[in-house]
């Protein structure tokens, strides 16, 4: 779990009631003041917590902090790759106890990434807040055209997940959840008429 200036975990006591344990005491003193935790990922026997100015790695009862160059905007585990976006320096991948720039011909996208999912052939499908979808393959970012491009641009993609081998779900700011197929066609919309309490979908979990 992560909050404002706090990270930790929940575990059940002898009665099965979840109890919170803070991990903040493990953070080096010069790194233990931070703002909101936005993303949490479990990767290779470690837990990573992303705040704006640093990413914490919790492993073997110790915590290491990785400072951002300009600001960590996003972090996601996709296809056994832990990827993060730095606002000014672009995409990074966690490799051998450190963050290395992700090899790309255009490695510093001028848009905010909101989702990364794995595709076939070692490629990634990336959602952005205001610029629709992109594919990343062999170091090249390419726009992914869909029939929902105008709706994605106007309503923004806040969250994005792969449902199965042919379907993807995009959570938007005002049109609920749009489900698209590999060809980029909208095959379903889940919004207020379908039972959502709010058309603003901040997060999707499969």
């Amino acid at each position: 779990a992560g909050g404002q200036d706090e990270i930790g975990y929940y575990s059940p006591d002898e009665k099965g009631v979840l109890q919170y344990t803070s991990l903040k005491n493990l953070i080096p003193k010069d790194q233990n003041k931070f703002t909101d935790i936005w993303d949490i990922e479990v990767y290779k026997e470690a837990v990573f917590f992303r705040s704006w100015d640093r990413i914490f790695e919790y492993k073997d009862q110790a915590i290491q902090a990785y400072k951002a160059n300009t600001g960590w905007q996003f972090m996601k585990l996709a296809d056994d790759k832990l990827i993060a976006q730095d606002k000014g320096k672009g995409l990074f991948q966690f490799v051998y106890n450190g963050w290395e720039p992700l090899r790309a011909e255009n490695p510093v996208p001028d848009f905010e990434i909101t989702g990364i999912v794995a595709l076939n052939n070692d490629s990634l499908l990336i959602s952005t807040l205001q610029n629709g979808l992109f594919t990343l393959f062999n170091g090249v970012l390419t726009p992914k055209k869909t029939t929902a491009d105008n709706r994605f641009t106007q309503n923004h993609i806040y969250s994005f997940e792969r449902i199965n081998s042919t379907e993807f779900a995009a959570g938007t700011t005002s049109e609920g959840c749009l489900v698209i197929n590999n060809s980029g066609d909208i095959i379903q919309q889940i919004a207020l008429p379908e039972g959502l309490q709010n058309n603003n979908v901040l997060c999707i979990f499969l």
Side-chain angles (χ1 to χ4, degrees):
Q4 293 181 342
D5 198 34
E6 179 62 48
I7 61 174
Y9 64 90
Y10 288 90
S11 59
D13 61 16
E14 64 277 2
K15 295 182 180 180
V17 178
L18 289 178
Q19 302 292 336
Y20 180 73
T21 299
S22 176
L23 295 172
K24 195 175 177 184
N25 63 306
L26 299 179
I27 301 174
K29 288 187 177 180
D30 61 340
Q31 299 286 340
N32 68 358
K33 295 295 182 182
F34 51 94
T35 54
D36 303 74
I37 296 296
W38 294 106
D39 299 315
I40 300 174
E41 293 286 354
V42 178
Y43 178 65
K44 292 188 176 180
E45 300 181 351
V47 184
F48 291 80
F49 303 82
R50 178 189 71 87
S51 69
W52 168 252
D53 60 348
R54 70 204 69 179
I55 292 176
F56 297 106
E57 178 191 12
Y58 171 54
K59 183 177 181 180
D60 298 330
Q61 297 301 311
I63 290 179
Q64 184 171 352
Y66 302 93
K67 287 187 175 181
N69 288 282
T70 52
W72 293 116
Q73 285 188 305
F74 181 78
M75 181 182 68
K76 183 68 185 295
L77 181 64
D79 193 27
D80 201 34
K81 298 181 178 70
L82 186 63
I83 299 172
Q85 181 189 19
D86 181 85
K87 180 177 176 61
K89 297 294 184 179
L91 295 172
F92 287 76
Q93 180 178 344
F94 190 79
V95 181
Y96 302 117
N97 301 317
W99 290 94
E100 297 181 0
L102 194 65
R103 184 181 65 83
E105 293 182 8
N106 44 356
V108 189
D110 58 353
F111 46 69
E112 184 174 349
I113 292 174
T114 57
I116 301 176
V117 298
L119 297 175
N120 299 327
N121 302 320
D122 200 32
S123 60
L124 301 173
L125 182 60
I126 295 173
S127 68
T128 69
L129 185 65
Q130 302 181 47
N131 299 82
L133 302 178
F134 289 78
T135 58
L136 178 62
F137 179 66
N138 283 341
V140 180
L141 275 171
T142 305
K144 168 72 172 176
K145 299 298 182 183
T146 76
T147 56
D149 283 348
N150 289 336
R151 299 167 77 172
F152 286 156
T153 301
Q154 294 172 6
N155 298 287
H156 303 174
I157 303 175
Y158 264 174
S159 51
F160 193 78
E161 283 292 343
R162 181 173 181 169
I163 300 173
N164 51 46
S165 60
T166 61
E167 297 174 336
F168 306 86
T172 69
T173 58
S174 56
E175 284 204 87
C177 184
L178 298 177
V179 180
I180 64 172
N181 59 19
N182 278 331
S183 300
D185 298 320
I186 299 175
I187 58 176
Q188 187 179 8
Q189 181 176 10
I190 305 169
L192 281 171
E194 290 75 36
L196 281 191
Q197 294 176 315
N198 194 309
N199 276 340
N200 187 20
V201 180
L202 299 177
C203 186
I204 296 174
F205 177 75
L206 184 63

